[in-house]
Amino acid sequence: MLNLILFGPPGAGKGTHSIKLSEKYKLVHLSTGDIFRSEIANKTNLGLEAKSFIDKGKLVPDEVVLNMLFSFMDKHLDENGFVFDGFPRTIVQADKFGKMLEDRKISVSTVVSLEVNEEELITRLVKRGLASGRTDDTEEVIRHRLEVYNEQTKPLLEYYNKKNLLHTVYGVGSVDTIFEEICNVIEKNVKGKYDLI
Ligand code: ADP
């Protein structure tokens, strides 16, 4: 399986590039944020629980995210692989995820981190909020999400770097140029190990 983690702060472009990667390499796009938004739209219990955290810019508790992710993954284990978008977001999530993959004899193939400065992130997210009406894309909540990212999610860069899995791509510029660079990183690092379509 080809299992890619697309890593980065809110607004870095993970969603955009994950969709393109899932199409190019025929992978399942697994966005924890998208799953929560769909649960919220369907007014499920999981959606209601997640909404109370998301609207404040907080992370949904690890247990809730992990249960949802594992049950989603187990339905797709016969596919080519996954693009993980917005997961993992804490060290606890990454550790439990690693063990879960090990149990299933699979692993993370590579981690691509999109680097974008904070000013640019805030500009992008405020603009997205105006267009989409996403309730967590207001300036106050965005600033809190960036703090949460710096405190709880950023340490994962070092975590995956120690495992020799981390690669960085500069995420400002044209979508096509950035996507090309992401694909170059993937093809250079997983070449020979997987059938890249
Ligand atoms: P963004 O990357 O712009 O923050 P997402 O759609 O990935 O957008 O996430 C939106 C919100 O969903 C997050 O702020 C968080 O509350 C929740 N969420 C998504 N993924 C996770 C996760 N892996 N762990 C905890 N909370 C998550």
Side-chain angles (χ1 to χ4, degrees), residues 23-191:
E23 286 165 359
K24 180 167 170 140
Y25 299 115
K26 309 276 183 282
L27 305 170
V28 177
H29 176 208
L30 203 171
S31 158
T32 41
D34 282 354
I35 300 177
F36 286 133
R37 279 184 290 279
S38 127
E39 296 282 332
I40 291 168
N42 291 321
K43 300 196 165 60
T44 64
N45 287 338
L46 174 61
L48 279 178
E49 186 180 6
K51 187 171 166 53
S52 63
F53 295 95
I54 293 176
D55 284 352
K56 293 190 200 102
K58 294 186 178 167
L59 293 183
V60 177
D62 290 331
E63 279 306 302
V64 177
V65 179
L66 287 161
N67 286 336
M68 178 188 82
L69 181 109
F70 293 167
S71 79
F72 183 97
M73 276 189 77
D74 278 335
K75 289 182 201 130
H76 296 276
L77 287 177
D78 52 350
E79 313 235 6
N80 286 336
F82 295 91
V83 188
F84 295 95
D85 162 7
F87 179 91
R89 253 172 152 104
T90 64
I91 299 277
V92 171
Q93 289 180 18
D95 271 339
K96 297 213 166 148
F97 178 54
K99 291 202 182 83
M100 184 265 190
L101 295 181
E102 222 176 281
D103 287 346
R104 286 155 182 78
K105 311 259 182 292
I106 49 181
S107 56
V108 172
S109 313
T110 196
V111 180
V112 180
S113 164
L114 288 172
E115 264 191 3
V116 177
N117 65 67
E118 278 207 4
E119 282 311 297
E120 171 77 16
L121 294 172
I122 294 169
T123 309
R124 286 183 188 181
L125 291 167
V126 169
K127 207 168 137 196
R128 182 172 80 183
L130 292 175
S132 72
R134 244 178 83 161
T135 46
D136 58 344
D137 281 345
T138 59
E139 186 152 352
E140 199 190 332
V141 179
I142 291 165
R143 288 196 187 275
H144 186 61
R145 280 158 64 205
L146 290 173
E147 275 172 30
V148 169
Y149 169 79
N150 284 324
E151 281 166 21
Q152 300 192 51
T153 307
K154 217 174 171 182
L156 287 173
L157 287 173
E158 190 47 31
Y159 179 95
Y160 284 116
N161 192 29
K162 279 196 187 133
K163 294 184 188 292
N164 281 324
L165 286 170
L166 185 73
H167 302 278
T168 299
V169 168
Y170 184 57
V172 183
S174 85
V175 170
D176 287 348
T177 313
I178 298 164
F179 185 64
E180 212 179 293
E181 231 190 289
I182 295 173
C183 294
N184 285 342
V185 164
I186 293 168
E187 284 167 33
K188 204 169 120 201
N189 290 285
V190 299
K191 211 174 172 181

